[in-house]
Amino acid sequence: MAAGQARRFGGGKSLALLSGKPLFLYPVELAIRSGLSPIVVVAANDHAAAMSACIVDQPVRLVLNQDAEQGMSTSLRAGIEAVKEHARAAFILLADQPFIPDEAVRRLIERYEDGYGKGIRIVRAAYGGRPGHPVLFDRNLYPLFDSLQGDEGARSLLKTHKASVATVDFPTAEWNDDIDTVEDYRRAERYVRKDQ
């Protein structure tokens, strides 16, 4: 999801370069490496052309969210609508989280497969006990996204279906870092330099 307004960042966050790469490409490349399909990037109008140019040669579809100003729920609905006929389950990945590792996607899929027969329909990552992304939702829950409103995201679904939720915890807290402010961005730059 890359259609947020990024007000705290000052706008243009998804296209901000981190280590020479637009921020939104980090989760896109993660999805490609992980073999996820279809891959959909939900974008707001003001950055759609620039984002489309970045993914022109990738197995990725750009979906415009005309209602992005009404909050995150509109992006979730647009993304689910785009994949609902083709995907047994959907991952929600955020454009401002560049450090989610391949391991997280792989282990969430494994937990979903292992727990499906026991009623698991949502699998989410946590980092040092703190809930984060990605989150995987089974296709049986897709219709529930239609009821989301405003900027709530999918929290209400996680709450009302907690018996169907499994969590996979990872020890590295930095993997869960998201970039909301310029200071967050500077911290991410330092983290990238430290990792190189």
Side-chain angles (χ1 to χ4, degrees):
M1 293 200 327
Q5 300 304 296
R7 290 183 183 95
R8 286 190 286 164
F9 191 79
K13 178 170 68 171
S14 296
L15 291 165
L17 297 180
L18 180 64
S19 199
K21 185 189 308 182
L23 200 53
F24 88 98
L25 279 183
Y26 284 86
V28 168
E29 291 176 354
L30 167 61
I32 293 169
R33 285 192 310 271
S34 300
L36 303 182
S37 178
I39 301 170
V40 172
V41 173
V42 180
N45 283 335
D46 48 354
H47 299 118
M51 293 171 78
S52 185
C54 293
I55 58 173
V56 69
D57 296 322
Q58 305 293 342
V60 177
R61 178 177 159 213
L62 189 90
V63 171
L64 280 179
N65 178 6
Q66 308 278 7
D67 302 316
E69 290 186 7
Q70 295 177 30
M72 189 187 302
S73 62
T74 62
S75 291
L76 286 166
R77 288 199 302 270
I80 293 296
E81 182 65 29
V83 304
K84 69 180 185 182
E85 301 300 325
H86 312 284
R88 177 183 166 202
F91 270 103
I92 308 297
L93 294 156
L94 303 183
D96 64 357
Q97 288 195 310
F99 304 129
I100 304 294
D102 298 12
E103 175 189 356
V105 171
R106 178 181 53 77
R107 287 188 54 200
L108 265 64
I109 292 171
E110 288 172 357
R111 184 68 184 90
Y112 171 67
E113 298 287 358
D114 291 347
Y116 190 84
K118 299 172 189 154
I120 296 302
R121 297 296 180 268
I122 303 171
V123 185
R124 76 176 314 176
Y127 302 89
R130 194 173 126 224
H133 283 83
V135 183
L136 178 153
F137 289 90
D138 181 76
R139 72 182 317 154
N140 290 336
L141 300 177
Y142 293 171
L144 302 180
F145 282 82
D146 292 337
S147 66
L148 300 180
Q149 298 293 321
D151 216 26
E152 72 173 304
R155 272 194 199 104
S156 61
L157 302 184
L158 291 162
K159 194 182 242 183
T160 56
H161 292 81
K162 59 185 173 188
S164 303
V165 177
T167 301
V168 179
D169 202 17
F170 301 92
T172 308
E174 289 87 356
W175 290 352
N176 196 35
D177 285 354
D178 57 352
I179 298 173
D180 290 326
T181 66
V182 172
E183 182 48 46
D184 293 339
Y185 176 76
R186 290 188 183 120
R187 188 171 61 247
E189 283 186 313
R190 291 192 294 271
Y191 183 72
V192 168
R193 283 197 299 271
K194 182 185 80 172
D195 237 27
Q196 291 174 341

